Amino acid sequence: MNVYKFRLLLSKKGWGKSYNLLRTLKGSNIFKKSFIEVYIPHKNCDKTIIALGQMHTVLKGDISRWSAKKIAKTQARLYFYYKYFYENLSIRFLGEEGVTEQHTAGYFRYNLNALKECIPETEMNLIRQGQTDFKLIKKILVNLSLKWQKMIKILPPEKVAGYANNVSGSMLYSLENKDIYFYAIEGEKEYRFVLNKITGLQTEVETLKRSSVYNNAKRKGFKNLDKEEYNTVILINNKIKTFNNILSSSLRDEATLSALSHKIKDINPIIYTIGMAHKKNLFKLAKKKLNNISLIMIIPPELWFWQHIISLTKKIVFLLLILICLALLYYI
């Protein structure tokens, strides 16, 4: 259900805090170019989860300059989203997805030493003084993203991590605002349960692949195996299948919503960043499980504009094909 379907409803008075918050967000210049998707269970709803769509860096893969710049621009938007929520809604605690292992429990602030070394002193002073605009933040993050894009081609993942972590709107905003704290979605106990399943399966597969039985099967090209070798290969395949099923299922999204539903008792509204791949599942689950909590997802223009144009073009082409077919049928 997207926000534009609520235009007529939003003019009504006496509705709950979620509607009022939605109207405020739509009226702000910060979100003017953003796409806002909404699920509000009833008009008196007062609790709100706000998900910020994002693209983030990775530790391996073939990354183009265009993709690196797109990630940087998205993170620059997040910088100003965080700033808006702090200055206008006094939100000091922000949820993060995909945070490194040392930050998987409780609230934390990022270690900013490595980031400080990568930013020129003049720009650092502007950030510390809060004299920032989108052009400056985008420039800083694009430069950092291009360094990461170069290093990912030549360095192993563990050495790429430092460059990847720097391309972050949340880390950059932490330089400006010392009153802001973060928490990892992966650190919440509901998510931790699913995460333990995933890491447990990874460990089991890696252990089995190191075994002499598996290596013997591999040397044979997985042909003419004895019973023990055959059973080991089948066991590994089953565990990999289970692992892939968990990753492609809605279990992680269910855990995320469950964790945020508990946290909203202390923080309302909740703000957290999440990858765009989770959007579809989140809204499906919200309609099933969130009876008294609204879900608002804010998608930066860098992540929705071209997808929207492509989708619209496909619909137009499909409609034209139908019209051509009808015309042919009419004249035949």
Side-chain angles (χ1 to χ4, degrees):
M1 188 181 302
N2 92 42
V3 70
Y4 301 108
K5 293 179 183 176
F6 282 94
R7 276 180 173 165
L8 295 175
L9 299 175
L10 292 178
S11 61
K12 300 199 174 186
K13 295 180 180 178
W15 289 44
K17 290 179 183 177
S18 293
Y19 274 104
N20 293 331
L21 176 58
L22 177 59
R23 188 161 49 188
T24 301
L25 295 177
K26 286 299 296 174
S28 169
N29 285 332
I30 293 291
F31 306 109
K32 194 173 181 180
K33 295 179 181 179
S34 305
F35 186 81
I36 302 179
E37 196 151 337
V38 182
Y39 166 71
I40 298 180
H42 54 81
K43 71 174 190 176
N44 296 316
C45 194
D46 289 335
K47 295 176 180 177
T48 312
I49 294 170
I50 299 178
L52 306 178
Q54 72 157 338
M55 272 182 79
H56 56 72
T57 52
V58 293
L59 301 183
K60 56 183 178 180
D62 185 17
I63 307 296
S64 67
R65 283 174 65 88
W66 182 84
S67 295
K69 287 181 178 181
K70 185 178 179 181
I71 291 170
K73 290 172 187 175
T74 302
Q75 291 296 325
R77 295 279 178 196
L78 292 177
Y79 177 101
F80 288 98
Y81 291 174
Y82 298 141
K83 190 169 185 175
Y84 172 88
F85 287 120
Y86 179 80
E87 292 178 354
N88 294 276
L89 299 179
S90 303
I91 302 294
R92 295 175 55 232
F93 302 102
L94 301 164
E96 290 270 79
E97 176 209 34
V99 180
T100 50
E101 280 300 311
Q102 63 264 35
H103 295 143
T104 51
Y107 297 104
F108 65 89
R109 275 185 60 80
Y110 285 105
N111 184 338
L112 303 170
N113 294 332
L115 181 59
K116 289 176 185 176
E117 292 173 6
C118 299
I119 301 173
E121 191 59 33
T122 308
E123 294 172 350
M124 273 294 301
N125 288 333
L126 290 172
I127 291 171
R128 288 193 189 105
Q129 294 162 18
Q131 297 176 8
T132 54
D133 57 22
F134 184 73
K135 188 176 178 181
L136 172 67
I137 297 303
K138 183 178 79 171
K139 177 188 170 187
I140 293 169
L141 286 166
V142 165
N143 287 338
L144 292 169
S145 72
L146 293 178
K147 282 183 187 176
W148 159 71
Q149 188 254 345
K150 285 179 184 176
M151 294 305 165
I152 203 170
K153 294 177 180 179
I154 58 175
L155 295 177
E158 60 272 15
K159 291 188 178 179
V160 172
Y163 295 95
N165 293 340
N166 286 342
V167 189
S168 165
S170 53
M171 285 185 72
L172 203 55
Y173 184 55
S174 294
L175 283 175
E176 178 183 325
N177 189 344
K178 294 181 180 177
D179 194 34
I180 207 89
Y181 288 83
F182 298 89
Y183 60 89
I185 296 296
E186 295 90 340
E188 302 301 311
K189 64 179 181 182
E190 295 87 351
Y191 199 105
R192 201 71 190 160
F193 176 74
V194 178
L195 204 60
N196 287 340
K197 273 189 177 181
I198 293 170
T199 53
L201 283 167
Q202 281 178 314
T203 304
E204 286 172 24
V205 169
E206 286 167 8
T207 303
L208 285 168
K209 282 188 173 181
R210 286 196 299 268
S211 69
S212 58
V213 177
Y214 178 79
N215 285 321
N216 287 338
K218 193 175 179 181
R219 275 193 293 272
K220 292 178 181 179
F222 302 106
K223 294 177 181 178
N224 301 318
L225 305 178
D226 63 32
K227 188 175 180 181
E228 188 181 11
E229 290 165 351
Y230 176 81
N231 288 338
T232 300
V233 171
I234 293 297
L235 182 60
I236 288 172
N237 288 340
N238 287 339
K239 287 186 182 295
I240 290 172
K241 189 176 179 181
T242 305
F243 174 83
N244 290 333
N245 286 341
I246 291 173
L247 288 184
S248 61
S249 75
S250 61
L251 278 175
R252 290 184 298 166
D253 297 318
E254 285 180 33
T256 297
L257 278 185
S258 177
L260 295 175
S261 298
H262 283 103
K263 194 169 277 291
I264 207 166
K265 295 169 186 174
D266 304 313
I267 305 170
N268 184 31
I270 277 183
I271 316 293
Y272 83 110
T273 54
I274 193 162
M276 291 296 294
H278 298 278
K279 180 173 83 76
K280 189 176 179 180
N281 261 345
L282 274 177
F283 277 94
K284 276 185 180 178
L285 291 167
K287 289 171 186 177
K288 291 179 183 177
K289 296 180 178 293
L290 299 184
N291 298 320
N292 294 300
I293 301 172
S294 299
L295 175 62
I296 297 174
M297 188 165 189
I298 301 173
I299 304 168
E302 290 76 14
L303 298 185
W304 74 264
F305 180 76
W306 287 113
Q307 287 88 334
H308 182 68
I309 295 297
I310 291 166
S311 176
L312 192 61
T313 303
K314 285 179 180 177
K315 288 176 184 176
I316 291 169
V317 169
F318 181 69
L319 185 61
L320 285 172
L321 287 171
I322 290 174
L323 290 173
I324 290 166
C325 290
L326 290 173
L328 289 171
L329 288 171
Y330 179 78
Y331 287 109
I332 288 173

